[in-house]
Amino acid sequence: MKEYTITVVETNNPTILKFETNHFITTGSNYEFKNIDEAKNSPLAQQLFYLPFIKTVYISGNFIGLERYDIVEWSDVKDEVAQQLVEYLNAGEPTILEEEKTKKVAVTVYAEVTPNPSTMKFVASRKIVPATFEFKNIDEARDSDLAKALFQFPFVKQVFLDENYVSVSKYDVAEWDDITMELRELIRNFIADGKDVVSLDIQPQNTTEVPKQKEQAPVDLDDTSLEIIDILEEYVKPAVASDGGNILFKSYEKQTKTVNVILQGACSGCPSSTFTLKNGIETMLKNMMGDRINEVVALNG
């Protein structure tokens, strides 16, 4: 039986806190409940509404978001709420009572070229995973039925998943004009059938390499590393995500002033990745952090 832990994360809205879990608690769907009547299919949300200060409950992927009324401050109650959530989840109680999927899920998928000629981005009209995942072969894809299905094609080299898209990297043996339609239809049909793209037990990769929030960062990271993480999260990740890729902070070498990063998805192996690193990311970090940065190196790029 899985053991749950809770990390409390502040948001830009002072009335809303995120209670992040170390395991997924739902499939790719998002849920919002504004009162106990709306929460009839969520025993967890119903229990939370018995707390008089709870205004709205959000449940998605690996977190529970709670909006409070002004009668209390989060600083006074957040620890008790976190403890209640941990006890509930570790008791094996249901989060969402999923309805039987008897109808197809309405979804569209379109193909989008990326700066990497070996990678195509397939964008869905709905969220398909709660975090980023990269699979370089079928063995690594054991927790993703969609990735395993894609690896059945001999020309598929790598699969990268982000919130609403799949980046597929191919070997040179095939041309995109010949395979794009087949890949798009496989991805669309898989999602339309209501199947889970990744297993609920799989750990999000972007939380093992680099925390999304400074509050979750390992205690051994220095202030410079934390500042680099903030810049990558705010300025760089949205740009590379639009191209079907991802960037992860790996380490900062103080003596050489070198920043080591990992490129994923379309960014990995892209012919223009060196230009992006040197003229984009490296220049930005030097401008924002001064002489603390000498070089940015992609460990697998």
Side-chain angles (χ1 to χ4, degrees):
M1 183 176 178
K2 292 181 289 188
E3 183 175 351
Y4 289 87
T5 59
I6 294 287
T7 302
V8 181
V9 179
E10 294 181 356
T11 70
N12 293 330
N13 187 335
T15 66
I16 297 176
L17 275 188
K18 286 176 66 176
F19 295 83
E20 294 191 349
T21 62
N22 58 327
H23 299 290
F24 294 157
I25 55 176
T26 72
T27 60
S29 301
N30 303 316
Y31 302 90
E32 178 180 345
F33 308 106
K34 293 187 178 297
N35 55 61
I36 198 169
D37 288 336
E38 291 185 0
K40 59 182 181 295
N41 68 329
S42 174
L44 173 57
Q46 286 182 332
Q47 179 168 316
L48 288 166
F49 277 117
Y50 281 106
L51 300 173
F53 53 84
I54 295 298
K55 182 179 181 180
T56 309
V57 177
Y58 309 92
I59 300 177
S60 177
N62 67 325
F63 76 85
I64 301 125
L66 298 179
E67 182 180 10
R68 62 169 174 81
Y69 287 106
D70 292 336
I71 58 173
V72 298
E73 296 294 333
W74 276 123
S75 58
D76 298 326
V77 297
K78 64 180 181 181
D79 292 339
E80 295 179 8
V81 173
Q83 183 60 34
Q84 180 176 327
L85 290 173
V86 166
E87 292 175 358
Y88 183 94
L89 295 172
N90 284 329
E93 299 294 336
T95 303
I96 299 290
L97 300 177
E98 302 281 1
E99 297 179 356
E100 289 292 326
K101 297 183 176 79
T102 56
K103 296 182 179 180
K104 290 278 188 176
V105 175
V107 62
T108 59
V109 174
Y110 68 88
E112 183 178 288
V113 296
T114 74
N116 188 342
S118 297
T119 302
M120 186 73 73
K121 180 179 177 182
F122 296 88
V123 185
S125 58
R126 67 191 303 270
K127 185 174 181 178
I128 60 173
V129 290
T132 60
F133 303 92
E134 184 177 46
F135 308 105
K136 296 185 177 181
N137 53 60
I138 197 169
D139 289 335
E140 291 185 1
R142 60 185 179 276
D143 292 315
S144 172
D145 287 340
L146 175 57
K148 284 191 291 186
L150 289 168
F151 276 116
Q152 297 302 315
F153 295 106
F155 49 78
V156 171
K157 183 178 182 180
Q158 295 183 25
V159 177
F160 177 77
L161 307 174
D162 206 344
E163 288 196 354
N164 71 324
Y165 69 84
V166 183
S167 286
V168 178
S169 299
K170 69 173 182 65
Y171 290 103
D172 293 338
V173 67
E175 298 296 332
W176 285 120
D177 288 344
D178 301 325
I179 62 176
T180 297
M181 183 66 71
E182 189 174 12
L183 292 174
R184 185 183 70 83
E185 285 302 300
L186 183 148
I187 293 168
R188 188 190 67 80
N189 290 334
F190 187 98
I191 300 170
D193 287 339
K195 299 176 182 177
D196 293 333
V197 174
V198 294
S199 166
L200 294 181
D201 295 329
I202 190 173
Q203 290 293 323
Q205 294 174 354
N206 60 358
T207 57
T208 59
E209 290 290 347
V210 53
K212 284 189 173 182
Q213 301 288 336
K214 291 180 71 174
E215 291 81 358
Q216 295 174 268
V219 294
D220 58 344
L221 286 182
D222 57 28
D223 291 341
T224 300
S225 295
L226 293 175
E227 190 173 344
I228 294 169
I229 289 172
D230 282 345
I231 293 172
L232 293 179
E233 288 287 333
E234 185 172 356
Y235 298 102
V236 180
K237 279 198 173 186
V240 297
S242 67
D243 287 335
N246 189 36
I247 185 170
L248 301 177
F249 172 83
K250 182 65 177 178
S251 63
Y252 171 68
E253 300 172 12
K254 188 174 181 179
Q255 288 185 336
T256 61
K257 302 177 182 179
T258 300
V259 180
N260 297 305
V261 298
I262 295 175
L263 298 178
Q264 294 180 316
C267 297
S268 179
C270 178
S272 63
S273 62
T274 300
F275 179 85
T276 301
L277 278 174
K278 298 301 178 184
N279 294 277
I281 302 169
E282 185 175 285
T283 299
M284 177 185 294
L285 288 174
K286 286 181 176 179
N287 289 339
M288 299 180 75
M289 301 183 66
D291 59 6
R292 286 179 291 170
I293 304 299
N294 179 55
E295 185 181 17
V296 177
V297 176
L299 296 184
N300 65 338

